[in-house]
Amino acid sequence: MPQHVSRTARLNAACGHLLALGVVAVLAAPATTVLDMRIVEPPGSGGPVGEGTAHSVVGAGAVDATVAAAPVDPSVREEPVPRAGAHARVALSAAEPVTGLGTVGVTWDRGRVVPDGTITVTLRTRSHGTWSAWQPVPYHDDHGPDPDSPEGRNARPGTDPVYVGAVDDVQVRAVTSAGAVPAGLEVAVVDPGAAVPRVEKPAIDTAALSAATTSAGTDVTPKPQIFSRAQWGADESLRDASQLRYYEVHAGFVHHTVDTNDYTADQVPAIIRGIYAFHTRSRGWSDIGYNFLVDRFGRVWEGRYGGVDRPVVGAHTFDYNEHAFAMAAIGNYDIEDGGRGLPSQAMLDAYGRLFAWKLSLHGVNAASMRQWVRTKYLPAINGHRDVGDTACPGRYLYAKLAEIRALARADQHAWAGRDRHTDLVGSRWPDLVVRDRATGKASFVQTGGQLGFGAPTVLATGWSGKDLVAAVSDVTGDGRADVMARDKATGRTGIFPGDAAGHLGSALRSTTRFAGADVLVGVGDWNRDGRDDLVGRVRATHRLLLYPGAGAGTFGPSRVLSTDGSGYDLAAAAGDLTGDGRPDLVARAGSRLSLLASTASGGLAAPVTLPGSWSGFDAVAGLGDLTNDGRADLVARKASTGATYLYPGDGAGRLGAAQGPFTAMAGSRFLAGSGTLAGSGARDLVAVDGAGRLVAWANNGRRNVVRTVPTGQSFPGTNLVLGVGDWDGDGHGDVVTRTTGGGMVLWPGDGTGRLSTALPMASGWGSVRLVAAVGDITGDGHPDLMGQPSGGPMRIYPGNGAHGFLAGYVAHSAVAGNLQVGIGRWDTDGSPDTLVRRSDGTLALYPGNGPGGLTGSGSTTVASGTSQYDALTGVGDANGDGHPDVVARQATTGTLWLLPGTATGRLGARRMLAPGFAGYDLLG
């Protein structure tokens, strides 16, 4: 996991050090902090209302809460105070009247640093002429905004608010270890106002939407029901809208409000309004400190403004506000309180649902016990006390942390739905969309999982003494591939039959008939009699002989194919390279490789030179279809590197561009194509390795490119095409294009390779650079785009599940580059990432934090030398190895290359995907 520490985080650390020394931090944020903090206009906090949700009595709209502040008598006198000695010097307030369901807290002047544990504040209430016992008012100096933030610099220190309810009067007193109380000591009494009650279901609820996206094949962690700020009566004029900030979420914190536990469901909105008014009016914070609150009935409430799905910077956990979110349980869970201080199961379940969803948005595994959060590793879910000198969230709620983690883990879904999905023709593998330069017609390029070979399977051991080995197809007549090998010491050649389990049995026969051969290859049914044959070259005479199969591993009398094969230093079977239904041979003389096609009479046609130089290969072989397209191919291994390449045949005697490299076959002294020896169902590669073992590499049966599919549409006046995944939520992949006039257009796909009529999406995109499809960045089940308006920062443009966008917002400060590649989930978390190509041709990684946008500065390079490509696009996992890949087009040749993702965090060695794409001007 990258140990990312932002500039703001470093400032926080420095200011925290100053505070520890008792110095007031007054550092001004540098100008670049605005971009780092990603200050943007928030989207609306409301959302679609689901069906069948729970109903509760909530407020009917904004309620005007009032705060009355009164000084605490600064005169100090002796008075007995429990826990402070027989007598102590105390400051005492007057009895202050309480109106409504009151909330009370104490504050003092800014700049007066009071370390945690050096001040004790208590209060008592009076009802009907009778005073209650004194009760503690919690104070912890690590509750609140970070001191170096604008919000922190304007904040007034103080205690937590305490809900006192419907009482007549309240009185507070303060005791310090030094005997003097901080200057400006005030008691704040909040009247939360009275809301007009009405029965409502949660305003922020996407149960119906979640069900729809899941049925369409997108699996995301469901969004829980959340009561909105409007439903607890938030007066939005109290908050400082200019202080709204966003950053990142890497963990969540469990808090408690230290309020009463004996509250009714109807009183909860007033309790939250009291906390809100105290935080804003008395403490000077920009908003309520918590991102979410949860009551003992299991209802989750929206806290700080800015969007529940966004990484809103709160004021809850000193030093971690920019890197985490928090939900506070309403109540005091540090006291047993007759059982009321024990968190209810409904509350714990709500914690599990909310934390599962909120962490999933940012790609954080709720079960993780090792998340890099600001400056150290923490679990994904923590109690406040895990990073601060505080009892929060109380002993009884903290004891349930393991259960909350387990609940969140069970509620959190897998990440696959957020990947970059590009299937357009209804297969499991990614596809590309291209536009023909000459006609403007659009086509899909269907990939097939990428040809590959598995780990070697040992077929036999003790083959070091074999000096001639031939993969001979089926010479025993049992329908399974066989191998023949000659013992160097005795000159005897045995037939080793393949079995159904992918092994070789013991030699069926042993003959000296091939003792004088220096070449022996299985050629399939050369004479077309239904049995597989051999071709060999006699060392002494250089004649090429056909040994016709006679069944059961025997061979009839040989006949001459060529009287002089002396000019060849290598010969191999080629399968039916010419496509005429008859097997062929290839033979090399120096750098020239010749095709020796069979004739209708069973002879050899005149040699035909194949293009290219073949002198650098130490092995060339064939025998049939190795690329799984139904046509015979050749395989060749470079002597200098050991890399093996496949040369696909076109069925007419020509070879295509090399596919590969495949490196596992290096070091083997023999290489051949065979039938199915490793149980793959396709033609495998066999060799004798350096340890004298006969091994087979199973062919995975896949293809690099299956076909090019006409979509039935043309893209006139278009300068950008993107395969975006299922944009409209119907279960099929779609395409987005941009017109030369700056309009974005959606072309719905039908899942079979056809596109429907275009639908307009948005205008004004003409100046947006680096536009890329990036998968589901926002975690709502819909794919998104990212792009950078000219002169502006990088932005997220969320898909709306139909044919448009939700409100866009800033993802990162402006990045330098000429191309963006939506790569999908490149790193180890569950949030999609992106790559940006810089002017020097390097690809820089910008890790994603879901709705938090992109992190880092692009300091991680995943590839270099990409300036040779005129197009780069992320396609998801094209080769099935679990890592997202990139497709690149060579500018000079039009060849498509696969740049595979690897476990090392860099793109691996390129592999040829397909030639012949120079005629297309747009690719996505």
Side-chain angles (χ1 to χ4, degrees):
M1 181 176 296
Q3 298 184 4
H4 163 61
V5 181
S6 69
R7 179 186 297 108
T8 304
R10 292 194 293 271
L11 288 173
N12 285 347
C15 294
H17 178 64
L18 292 174
L19 286 174
L21 297 176
V23 179
V24 178
V26 292
L27 298 178
T32 54
T33 302
V34 173
L35 290 178
D36 285 343
M37 300 309 297
R38 300 159 207 169
I39 300 175
V40 300
E41 302 80 10
S45 60
V49 178
E51 297 298 325
T53 56
H55 293 72
S56 295
V57 176
V58 298
V63 179
D64 184 16
T66 60
V67 180
V72 177
D73 186 354
S75 62
V76 178
R77 57 186 177 274
E78 299 288 336
E79 188 172 307
V81 179
R83 298 173 55 202
H87 290 79
R89 298 169 65 81
V90 304
L92 190 67
S93 79
E96 301 294 338
V98 177
T99 304
L101 299 176
T103 292
V104 178
V106 174
T107 65
W108 50 89
D109 286 349
R110 287 192 293 270
R112 305 299 180 180
V113 177
V114 180
D116 197 19
T118 63
I119 187 171
T120 300
V121 180
T122 54
L123 68 76
R124 64 179 180 176
T125 60
R126 182 165 56 189
S127 298
H128 308 295
T130 301
W131 284 104
S132 70
W134 291 96
Q135 67 182 70
V137 180
Y139 166 68
H140 297 286
D141 60 359
D142 59 354
H143 289 201
D146 295 329
D148 69 314
S149 66
E151 184 178 12
R153 290 194 293 273
N154 294 323
R156 183 176 168 88
T159 68
D160 288 336
V162 174
Y163 174 74
V164 295
V167 298
D168 297 327
D169 301 288
V170 67
Q171 188 176 32
V172 301
R173 66 183 180 185
V175 181
T176 66
S177 57
V181 296
L185 199 69
E186 289 183 350
V187 56
V189 181
V190 181
D191 174 7
V196 178
R198 68 182 181 190
V199 176
E200 284 189 358
K201 51 192 170 185
I204 304 174
D205 170 43
T206 56
L209 181 60
S210 295
T213 57
T214 301
S215 65
T218 300
D219 185 19
V220 294
T221 301
K223 186 176 186 177
Q225 299 175 354
I226 303 172
F227 287 90
S228 70
R229 288 170 62 90
Q231 289 180 298
W232 55 259
D235 179 356
E236 299 299 354
S237 69
L238 295 186
R239 64 182 179 86
D240 183 354
S242 69
Q243 296 297 316
L244 175 63
R245 297 185 297 142
Y246 299 93
Y247 201 61
E248 300 165 9
V249 168
H250 299 281
F253 284 96
V254 176
H255 287 249
H256 68 158
T257 64
V258 209
D259 275 311
T260 179
N261 299 309
D262 190 15
Y263 55 84
T264 67
D266 294 349
Q267 291 171 337
V268 169
I271 294 173
I272 300 175
R273 290 197 302 273
I275 297 171
Y276 175 47
F278 181 74
H279 282 176
T280 55
R281 292 282 182 87
S282 299
R283 297 297 303 274
W285 299 357
S286 67
D287 198 347
I288 192 170
Y290 309 111
N291 301 102
F292 304 92
L293 299 98
V294 59
D295 59 34
R296 64 191 182 97
F297 310 102
R299 299 177 301 178
V300 176
W301 301 81
E302 179 186 16
R304 183 162 284 217
Y305 182 86
V308 294
D309 56 346
R310 298 290 304 284
V312 179
V313 176
H316 46 77
T317 311
F318 180 78
D319 276 346
Y320 293 92
N321 292 311
E322 294 175 350
H323 303 266
F325 73 96
M327 183 159 78
I330 299 173
N332 186 346
Y333 298 94
D334 202 43
I335 56 174
E336 198 275 336
D337 194 17
R340 290 186 294 271
L342 305 179
S344 67
Q345 190 60 50
M347 175 181 284
L348 298 177
D349 290 342
Y351 263 111
R353 289 191 297 272
L354 190 283
F355 275 60
W357 169 72
K358 182 64 175 175
L359 290 171
S360 76
L361 295 183
H362 302 276
V364 178
N365 184 348
S368 172
M369 298 300 288
R370 188 175 169 81
Q371 289 291 121
W372 185 254
V373 187
R374 186 174 178 264
T375 58
K376 64 181 179 180
Y377 287 105
L378 293 171
I381 300 175
N382 307 270
H384 185 185
R385 67 170 63 181
D386 290 325
V387 294
D389 185 14
T390 173
C392 183
R395 71 190 74 180
Y396 298 110
L397 182 53
Y398 187 78
K400 296 295 185 179
L401 214 58
E403 182 176 347
I404 290 173
R405 288 173 180 144
L407 289 167
R409 180 174 63 248
D411 286 334
Q412 197 171 63
H413 291 209
W415 310 116
R418 301 185 63 181
D419 271 328
R420 175 98 165 82
H421 296 286
T422 58
D423 171 39
L424 292 161
V425 300
S427 72
R428 60 168 292 200
W429 301 110
D431 306 311
L432 302 168
V433 56
V434 294
R435 185 183 73 166
D436 187 274
R437 179 183 289 106
T439 67
K441 292 182 178 180
S443 299
F444 294 148
V445 181
Q446 180 185 359
T447 69
Q450 304 308 297
L451 172 66
F453 296 90
T457 297
V458 177
L459 303 176
T461 59
W463 282 47
S464 297
K466 310 293 186 185
D467 66 344
L468 198 60
V469 180
V472 292
S473 192
D474 176 24
V475 296
T476 58
D478 61 0
R480 304 185 185 104
D482 308 313
V483 177
M484 293 181 64
R486 184 178 67 191
D487 186 271
K488 182 178 181 179
T490 65
R492 302 186 69 86
T493 301
I495 299 173
F496 297 83
D499 64 18
H503 302 98
L504 288 181
S506 301
L508 286 180
R509 301 179 180 279
S510 179
T511 177
T512 60
R513 185 175 183 184
F514 307 107
D518 61 357
V519 171
L520 190 66
V521 294
V523 292
D525 186 9
W526 185 275
N527 59 10
R528 307 181 73 176
D529 66 352
R531 295 185 288 267
D532 287 337
D533 311 316
L534 303 180
V535 168
R537 185 176 67 177
V538 180
R539 182 186 300 109
T541 64
H542 302 137
R543 292 187 302 170
L544 288 178
L545 302 180
L546 174 70
Y547 298 93
T554 62
F555 299 90
S558 63
R559 66 181 178 86
V560 177
L561 292 178
S562 173
T563 58
D564 186 8
S566 61
Y568 301 118
D569 55 45
L570 181 152
D576 181 15
L577 206 60
T578 58
D580 61 1
R582 297 187 296 269
D584 306 308
L585 290 172
V586 290
R588 186 181 65 184
S591 63
R592 187 178 64 212
L593 187 70
S594 296
L595 170 64
L596 306 177
S598 62
T599 65
S601 61
L604 285 177
V608 175
T609 301
L610 296 173
S613 174
W614 295 78
S615 60
F617 298 104
D618 63 354
V620 176
L623 194 58
D625 177 21
L626 290 165
T627 58
N628 307 307
D629 62 356
R631 296 186 287 263
D633 313 303
L634 292 182
V635 59
R637 186 177 59 200
K638 284 277 188 182
S640 59
T641 64
T644 298
Y645 296 87
L646 294 183
Y647 291 84
D650 70 349
R654 295 180 295 268
L655 298 176
Q659 297 184 14
F662 305 97
T663 59
M665 299 85 184
S668 302
R669 64 177 178 85
F670 158 79
L671 183 67
S674 73
T676 300
L677 282 170
S680 70
R683 286 192 175 272
D684 307 321
L685 292 178
V686 295
V688 177
D689 68 12
R693 302 175 303 178
L694 183 70
V695 295
W697 289 274
N699 187 321
N700 64 11
R702 301 174 188 166
R703 297 174 61 183
N704 289 355
V705 169
V706 178
R707 57 180 177 149
T708 299
V709 184
T711 67
Q713 298 288 356
S714 295
F715 294 158
T718 299
N719 57 24
L720 176 72
V721 298
L722 300 170
V724 294
D726 181 15
W727 191 273
D728 58 11
D730 66 353
H732 307 305
D734 306 313
V735 172
V736 167
T737 64
R738 181 176 62 188
T739 68
T740 52
M744 299 299 282
V745 179
L746 176 70
W747 301 81
D750 68 356
T752 68
R754 305 289 288 181
L755 293 176
S756 301
T757 304
L759 299 171
M761 301 176 72
S763 59
W765 280 68
S767 63
V768 183
R769 303 172 54 250
L770 307 179
V771 179
V774 291
D776 181 13
I777 286 280
T778 55
D780 62 358
H782 305 301
D784 310 308
L785 301 185
M786 289 181 66
Q788 185 165 295
S790 179
M794 183 71 75
R795 295 180 69 87
I796 295 171
Y797 299 93
N800 67 356
H803 58 90
F805 299 91
L806 301 176
Y809 57 90
V810 174
H812 196 278
S813 54
V815 300
N818 54 44
L819 184 69
Q820 181 178 193
V821 181
I823 191 63
R825 293 181 302 115
W826 181 263
D827 58 21
T828 57
D829 67 18
S831 180
D833 311 307
T834 196
L835 305 176
V836 173
R837 182 170 68 179
R838 297 178 288 219
S839 59
D840 63 357
T842 57
L843 278 178
L845 173 67
Y846 286 84
N849 190 242
L854 303 178
T855 67
S857 59
S859 58
T860 300
T861 297
V862 304
S864 57
T866 67
S867 296
Q868 62 184 303
Y869 306 118
D870 62 357
L872 292 167
T873 183
V875 292
D877 182 10
N879 57 11
D881 65 355
H883 302 289
D885 307 311
V886 174
V887 168
R889 183 174 64 178
Q890 191 90 31
T892 55
T893 65
T895 298
L896 296 184
W897 296 91
L898 184 74
L899 311 181
T902 68
T904 66
R906 290 184 60 87
L907 290 173
R910 72 178 190 176
R911 291 187 177 181
M912 198 275 290
L913 188 64
F917 282 83
Y920 298 95
D921 59 349
L922 296 178
L923 180 146

